[in-house]
Amino acid sequence: MLMEDLGYKKPELLIPASNLEVLKIAVLYGADAVYIGGEMYGLRAKAKNFSAESMKEGIAFAHAHGKKVYVTANITAHNEDLGGIEKYFKELREMKPDAIIISDPGVFEIAKETAPEIELHISTQANNVNYATYRFWHRLGAKRVVSARELSLEEIKGIRDNIPEDLEIETFVHGAMCMAHSGRCLLSNYFTGRDANRGACTHPCRWKYYLVEETRPGEYLPVEENERGTYIFNSKDLCMIEYIPMLVDAGINSFKVEGRMKTALYVASVARTYRKAIDDFFENPALYEKNIPYYREEISKCTYRQFTTGFFFGKPDADAQIYDNNTYIKEYTYLGIIGEKNKEGYYRLEQRNKFCAGDEIEVMKPDGRNLMLTVKGIRDEEGNEMESCPHPKQVIYVDLGEGLEENDILRRKE
């Protein structure tokens, strides 16, 4: 019996995108919806983000493929922000995104007044930890509330049981975790003057720290787990790929992936894997259980920090932190995205990391297949043969000996 026949609704898979190229990859590799940021008023100021022109194109591309686009405007706004926010929302009204993600009540009111046709979603930054808060936002007109990352599955289920059926729950299921409650951190502002709550976080939770005793200024005492020191705020990454049935049973409407500063390889790997896991489960729970080793393998083929289940099964213990380094695990290198085919049968590629003629590389396809192919030839834009491409983002043309397709992704095992 299909899961829909048992009363379960397939959740939305919501994937981040830092730019137009990544948005298209997210759509083609399995996202139901994509969330993006404009050049202002979101919490990823260091991301490339979207200009008005690229946002229009991205929304049009997603809608042409039957997908949705949500725009983040979830800063904690100060007085000087409000006039610009009103103007921005009027511009968004013309672009017709499917929702705006907001945390600030004042910004919420401006959005209701200036763009009443656009759905309003409440950001995790609003500290949404109980059903009364969900009801509050629903009364004001919110369509969806993003749960705080500090909630367990049991608490989310309790919220679902106590809110209107038409109010949607969106929950982070994968990606980097913030050490601060609902991501509302003051460390960046304190150390560097760059406010995390206005989009300028410098990620001090990933820094290496020492202890200083009050009466001995300037004398740094190492807080050691090993010779490299201890990164006392550095959380592992969230990964719930093995718990799809529990997430569905909790009544979550949208599975959200963190990562608006991630590469196309990361987005493609995570989107494609969660897409297959969700679809497998709704086709047949036994198929999902059988394929868990495949999901584990595929989800690890992009950068990550070790995995944790966060707060879903209770408060995390010491094992949820990484104490000896702040680096990612990187098992695969991103090489680029296949473009159009030229007259000689070579495919255009903007190279992201070096590879050479004769190398064996893996080709990711949106339909879930992975092909191991050998690089038969590399040419520059003038048609000259090359042994390798030493310059990042150089446009080259490649022959892998078999027919490729646009938007296939090339990667190489480390």
Side-chain angles (χ1 to χ4, degrees):
M1 183 178 290
L2 296 175
M3 297 305 296
E4 286 93 338
D5 296 332
L6 296 174
Y8 292 103
K9 184 178 179 181
K10 185 180 287 190
E12 170 188 86
L13 178 58
L14 178 56
I15 300 294
S18 59
N19 56 48
L20 183 59
E21 177 184 69
V22 177
L23 180 149
K24 292 179 177 180
I25 290 297
V27 167
L28 295 173
Y29 279 73
D32 295 308
V34 182
Y35 67 102
I36 66 176
E39 294 175 327
M40 299 180 71
Y41 310 122
L43 287 181
R44 290 293 182 273
K46 291 195 293 182
K48 296 175 184 177
N49 292 318
F50 284 71
S51 65
E53 182 178 344
S54 62
M55 189 178 289
K56 287 178 187 176
E57 185 177 345
I59 292 170
F61 180 88
H63 288 174
H65 287 79
K67 311 299 183 181
K68 296 181 177 181
V69 176
Y70 310 144
V71 177
T72 61
N74 54 342
I75 67 164
T76 301
H78 289 237
N79 289 338
E80 62 266 27
D81 297 316
L82 299 182
I85 287 171
E86 183 174 354
K87 179 182 176 183
Y88 180 50
F89 287 169
K90 289 177 180 177
E91 294 171 354
L92 286 181
R93 187 179 184 183
E94 300 301 316
M95 298 183 204
K96 296 181 171 59
D98 297 277
I100 304 173
I101 304 171
I102 293 170
S103 65
D104 187 295
V107 175
F108 185 91
E109 288 295 314
I110 292 172
K112 284 179 65 176
E113 294 168 4
T114 58
E117 304 91 343
I118 303 176
E119 281 186 10
L120 300 181
H121 296 177
I122 305 305
S123 170
T124 189
Q125 296 288 125
N127 303 91
N128 308 303
V129 297
N130 62 71
Y131 60 78
T133 297
Y134 278 67
R135 290 175 179 174
F136 167 81
W137 285 114
H138 183 255
R139 287 195 299 271
L140 291 181
K143 173 67 174 176
R144 176 183 295 184
V145 177
V146 186
S147 59
R149 302 190 203 196
E150 294 76 24
L151 293 180
S152 67
L153 280 171
E154 184 179 353
E155 288 176 300
I156 294 172
K157 187 180 289 189
I159 289 171
R160 178 76 274 167
D161 291 341
N162 287 280
I163 62 174
E165 188 176 345
D166 65 337
L167 179 57
E168 297 176 352
I169 298 175
E170 179 179 302
T171 301
F172 281 96
V173 301
H174 193 91
M177 298 281 285
C178 181
M179 52 76 63
H181 196 283
S182 294
R184 300 184 72 155
C185 183
L186 300 177
L187 288 179
S188 179
N189 201 10
Y190 179 79
F191 285 133
T192 69
R194 296 175 61 175
D195 191 346
N197 300 305
R198 300 181 80 187
C201 185
T202 54
H203 302 288
C205 55
R206 309 299 180 191
W207 299 352
K208 181 178 180 180
Y209 288 89
Y210 290 89
L211 180 68
V212 177
E213 201 275 322
E214 183 179 11
T215 63
R216 290 180 281 177
E219 184 176 341
Y220 295 97
L221 309 175
V223 186
E224 289 187 342
E225 195 76 12
N226 65 15
E227 68 278 0
R228 297 187 64 186
T230 295
Y231 298 78
I232 56 178
F233 302 127
N234 190 28
S235 173
K236 294 180 180 179
D237 283 357
L238 179 65
C239 179
M240 291 294 288
I241 195 70
E242 298 178 43
Y243 304 96
I244 298 295
M246 294 181 182
L247 296 169
V248 170
D249 186 62
I252 297 167
N253 302 96
S254 179
F255 291 1
K256 187 172 192 175
V257 174
E258 184 279 336
R260 277 203 298 119
M261 298 176 71
K262 300 293 190 179
T263 66
L265 174 60
Y266 179 94
V267 165
S269 300
V270 175
R272 194 180 69 163
T273 307
Y274 273 88
R275 175 79 280 143
K276 180 169 176 54
I278 293 168
D279 291 349
D280 285 351
F281 175 66
F282 274 80
E283 179 183 341
N284 185 342
L287 175 64
Y288 166 80
E289 292 293 334
K290 175 185 175 183
N291 285 333
I292 283 178
Y294 167 82
Y295 311 143
R296 287 185 191 135
E297 179 182 3
E298 288 299 309
I299 211 71
S300 299
K301 290 184 177 180
C302 53
T303 55
Y304 64 98
R305 281 193 183 89
Q306 302 177 38
F307 289 134
T308 177
T309 56
F311 290 79
F312 281 113
F313 301 107
K315 291 184 179 180
D317 58 20
D319 289 338
Q321 299 291 118
I322 305 171
Y323 299 99
D324 60 352
N325 69 80
N326 68 344
T327 58
Y328 287 101
I329 297 171
K330 183 180 179 184
E331 297 181 3
Y332 280 74
T333 296
Y334 173 39
L335 303 180
I337 302 172
I338 291 294
E340 71 276 6
K341 187 178 183 180
N342 69 11
K343 296 177 182 178
E344 289 75 35
Y346 281 61
Y347 288 87
R348 185 183 188 277
L349 182 82
E350 187 182 88
Q351 177 252 24
R352 299 306 169 90
N353 283 287
K354 183 179 177 180
F355 61 95
C356 303
D359 284 354
E360 186 176 52
I361 60 177
E362 186 169 271
V363 179
M364 284 184 68
K365 289 186 169 288
D367 64 9
R369 290 179 295 146
N370 297 324
L371 304 179
M372 293 303 300
L373 300 176
T374 300
V375 181
K376 304 293 185 182
I378 304 174
R379 294 179 180 176
D380 64 20
E381 290 185 274
E382 285 71 45
N384 302 309
E385 294 286 345
M386 306 170 67
E387 286 298 315
S388 66
C389 178
H391 305 298
K393 293 198 173 184
Q394 181 177 345
V395 173
I396 57 175
Y397 286 81
V398 296
D399 173 18
L400 298 183
E402 294 189 26
L404 299 173
E405 297 172 290
E406 287 191 42
N407 298 303
D408 287 349
I409 291 179
L410 305 186
R411 62 188 179 187
R412 182 184 62 232
K413 187 171 178 61
E414 289 290 290

